[in-house]
Structure formats: structure tokens, C-alpha cells
Amino acid sequence: MNTVRRSRLFLAVAATSMLVLGACSTDTTVDAGSGDTVTVDTANGAVEVPANPQRVVALDNTSFETLKAFGVEPVALPKPIMPYEGFEEWIDNEEILDVGTHREPNLEVVSEAEPDLIIGGYRFQEYTDELNRIAPTLDVSPTDVGYIESLKSQTSALGEVFGKQEQASQIIAQLDAAADDAAARTGGETVFLANVSAGKIDNGAQRIGRLMEPLTLTDVFAGEAGDVHGDSGLAPETVAQANPDWVIVLDRDAAAGEPGAAPAKVVFDAQEAFANTTFTTRNQIVYLDPYFYTRESIQAYTQAFESISDAFANAG
């Protein structure tokens, strides 16, 4: 391991330790003092769980990629809302039970899975009390404020629970490196955070505004209304008039598997109003991974920062 890598990894581990020591009720702290159990301070208070649990029900989509990286195969999952790409072996495995969506989860299936641990929270947050009656339930999902830092706290906590501390530190270091590089390459440019939903373009700041936390970019619609789940669409002429330097695009249609939906790039290319904008003429549009909306994991954000960094490095 070279000197730069060692230094970056050391800083990531140190930062994680500071987060653990300074966490409040919505952050994550870990105390693995007993050896056979781990106490995690979650959004709902301290929860004691088995160390390295063998039967895990995973409901929080932001945890899926980290669990997979740790070699943890859940016994039950919300299959309809999972990104299919990268999780085919879990979705197609009939021995892994299907809990359904967060709108109507089948809690009987969760109980049938006989879990030692349930990783809940995020879209399943309102069911925490009911899930706790089945098995210890962790809500270590990222928070709306300080999302990027809380992704790191989540990863650190899961590393403690599953005895994968070193691997967790490496995952965190990769995010730090990608975010730092993207931050260094941005310099106050204006940006439109777009969401393509139902074939229309909306303000996506409510969903992907978290990307701005480490970046030096200016959102052209900051503070203005823009419901990412709305169906009214944002007038292309409004975007063109704002004329942002860059656009970062979330393709919600692709992630949600909307049948017959046009890819986000096709929707953007079809907008005549965008023809003379800066972002079009300079080809300064960053399309996030099509499954970003259903991933939202530390790995998804690492990849997003890498894409932003590459795009800015090749601009001009």
C-alpha cells in the first residue's frame, strides 16, 4: 500500500471514529464490548444485537450493497423495490423470501424468515415498532441532513455488527477519495439537479441535492419548489432561461422500472428549448446510474462523485 493510500485510509478511519464518538440520537455509535453482542445507537435509541448475525432480513435499500460486499446474504428482502442489476441472484433466489414493498410490506413473511436481525429504517421507518416485536431492528439508515457523513456512519456500524471493520473502512475511504476529487474539480459552476419522472423533467433537488454537500456548485433552483414525485413537470423553457452550466440527472423512470419509459437522455435530447443552453452546447450533462434511485447507497454516491469528477475533468 503506497503512502498516499495509507494516509487516505488513516484519515477515513479517523473521521469515522470521530463520528462514532460524537454521534447524537440520529447518528450511529457502536460498542462491541461483550464480544457476542453489539450495541448500536440508532435513530430509535440503543439496540443490542447479536454480533455477526446469521439470519438477516434487510429492508433498507441503502444497506444492500454493503451487505453484499460483506458476504451477507439476507433471508428476506423487499424484492419489488430492489435494483435488479447487481442483485439478480438475490431477487431470483426463491429461498430468499419476498417482503413486498414499503407501501404494503408483508410482516408475516418477515416473521416467517426467523431473523436474528432486521435492518430497517429509511423507507420502512414507520414499521420499526412492529418489526422490533419480531427481532431486534436497526435503523442505521442515512439521515436527510448530512446524508454523506451518515452513509459513512452506517457503513461503520454495519462493519461492527458483521465483524467487517477493515472492509467498512476501505468502503468509506473510497467515498472520501471520490468526494474529495469531485469537490476539487468543481469551482462554483451553476447546476440544475434534474429528475426524469413519467417522461417529464422535474426539479430533483429533494432526492439528489445530497450530492451537493461536499461540492462547490450552485443550484440554479435552490429554494424553489420542486416535488420529485410530482407529475406536473418543470417547463423546459424555465430550465433554459436559468441556463445552468451543468445538469446532473436522476432517471427515476429507469430505476422504478416504468414500462415503456424513455431513458433520461432521450427525454433531454428531445427538448428543443435546451438546444442553445450552455449544458447542451458544451455537453455538460451527467447522467447518474439508472438504478441510483433504488440504490442510494454509499457505493452509489461514490460512483456518482467519480462520474462528476470525470465529467468536469473532461469538460471544455
Side-chain angles (χ1 to χ4, degrees):
M1 183 180 293
N2 60 38
T3 302
V4 173
R5 177 65 174 165
R6 284 198 301 268
S7 299
R8 183 173 288 161
L9 185 56
F10 173 80
L11 289 172
V13 174
T16 304
S17 299
M18 291 176 67
L19 284 168
V20 167
L21 291 173
C24 61
S25 61
T26 58
D27 291 330
T28 304
T29 59
V30 178
D31 174 17
S34 68
D36 59 346
T37 62
V38 178
T39 301
V40 182
D41 186 10
T42 73
N44 301 296
V47 177
E48 187 174 16
V49 301
N52 196 23
Q54 300 302 299
R55 297 187 62 80
V56 178
V57 170
L59 303 177
D60 174 15
N61 60 292
T62 68
S63 71
F64 294 160
E65 288 179 80
T66 297
L67 293 176
K68 188 176 181 183
F70 289 170
V72 176
E73 183 177 272
V75 294
L77 292 161
K79 294 184 179 182
I81 62 171
M82 293 181 65
Y84 187 78
E85 188 173 302
F87 293 94
E88 297 91 338
E89 69 272 26
W90 285 4
I91 295 172
D92 296 338
N93 186 346
E94 294 182 359
E95 293 184 3
I96 299 178
L97 303 183
D98 184 4
V99 176
T101 73
H102 56 293
R103 301 187 190 284
E104 294 184 45
N106 190 333
L107 300 187
E108 291 182 3
V109 168
V110 176
S111 180
E112 182 184 342
E114 299 181 344
D116 303 319
L117 175 68
I118 300 171
I119 300 175
Y122 206 47
R123 289 182 171 94
F124 289 82
Q125 186 174 28
E126 65 180 288
Y127 301 100
T128 299
D129 290 342
E130 295 171 79
L131 292 169
N132 263 320
R133 299 189 189 103
I134 299 172
T137 300
L138 291 183
D139 179 358
V140 292
S141 54
T143 58
D144 288 334
V145 178
Y147 191 94
I148 306 301
E149 289 299 318
S150 61
L151 277 173
K152 293 154 67 173
S153 296
Q154 176 199 54
T155 305
S156 177
L158 292 175
E160 292 287 344
V161 170
F162 293 99
K164 301 290 185 179
Q165 295 91 334
E166 182 176 353
Q167 195 166 354
S169 294
Q170 292 172 352
I171 293 170
I172 292 168
Q174 290 169 352
L175 173 66
D176 283 337
D180 289 348
D181 191 34
R185 293 187 183 279
T186 56
E189 296 88 348
T190 56
V191 64
F192 168 44
L193 303 173
N195 173 57
V196 174
S197 179
K200 299 177 181 178
I201 299 170
D202 286 306
N203 186 339
Q206 293 182 21
R207 179 61 64 180
I208 60 173
R210 305 148 176 169
L211 285 167
M212 300 283 281
E213 291 176 2
L215 304 181
T216 53
L217 295 173
T218 301
D219 182 356
V220 291
F221 294 125
E224 296 189 18
D227 182 3
V228 299
H229 291 297
D231 58 6
S232 58
L234 183 65
E237 292 77 13
T238 303
V239 178
Q241 185 176 6
N243 195 24
D245 299 317
W246 287 84
V247 178
I248 300 175
V249 186
L250 170 71
D251 192 341
R252 186 176 182 273
D253 284 344
E258 296 294 341
K265 187 178 186 308
V266 172
V267 175
F268 262 77
D269 289 347
Q271 306 305 317
E272 294 181 4
F274 293 170
N276 297 316
T277 59
T278 300
F279 61 84
T280 297
T281 57
R282 296 183 181 177
N283 193 28
Q284 294 182 163
I285 306 175
V286 179
Y287 293 95
L288 299 177
D289 176 78
Y291 290 101
F292 188 90
Y293 178 75
T294 49
R295 291 172 66 198
E296 296 187 294
S297 60
I298 189 169
Q299 291 84 357
Y301 275 81
T302 298
Q303 182 180 342
F305 288 130
E306 290 172 346
S307 296
I308 292 168
S309 182
D310 290 345
F312 274 76
N314 295 316

